[in-house]
Amino acid sequence: MSATTDRYENAVARYFEAWNAREPEALAEAVAAAWAVDGGYTDHLADVRGHEGIAAVVSAAHAQFPGFAFRLTGRVDGHHDTARFSWELVHEADGSAPVAGSDVVTLDADGRITSVLGFLDRVPAGA
């Protein structure tokens, strides 16, 4: 595995640590580890910048889907400062995955996320 591939995979691993953090302190630490200070997150439901805004989006997702965790599906693909990957939101008790998507992240020189463009590929009715 090349250092470049490690860079993308490490950034995405930190991204999932943030999305799966539930306690406020752990969430704040995970977001700070994954995102640059002025980093952003944009999908069709949210468009935020900064650690507090990102943590609020993550908290809202956990409130809407309690007992679920985000997990990577497939592999991380990247070039230059950009990586893409797919994920699903999995119920920890029964393994169902009603939500899935694909994200594109841009990284800074330190491997922290400067932007996320999120796309929802599968969403349950009424969500």
Side-chain angles (χ1 to χ4, degrees), residues 11-119:
V12 171
R14 287 190 306 270
Y15 176 81
F16 282 108
E17 287 173 17
W19 276 99
N20 288 320
R22 291 189 173 101
E23 298 301 321
E25 186 174 315
L27 175 56
E29 289 175 9
V31 167
W35 270 270
V37 172
D38 61 345
Y41 178 87
T42 302
D43 66 16
H44 79 284
L45 300 172
D47 186 10
V48 298
R49 294 205 73 74
H51 292 172
E52 287 183 12
I54 294 163
V57 169
V58 171
S59 291
H62 285 291
Q64 185 175 2
F65 294 97
F68 283 79
F70 290 86
R71 76 172 174 205
L72 180 68
T73 58
R75 66 182 195 83
V76 178
D77 184 29
H79 62 79
H80 297 85
D81 291 329
T82 305
R84 67 178 177 170
F85 55 94
S86 295
W87 54 267
E88 59 187 1
L89 186 59
V90 180
H91 192 274
E92 293 172 318
D94 68 16
S96 63
V99 182
S102 300
D103 291 354
V104 176
V105 299
T106 304
L107 306 176
D108 68 11
D110 295 325
R112 286 201 169 85
I113 297 167
T114 58
S115 71
V116 176
L117 297 176
F119 298 88

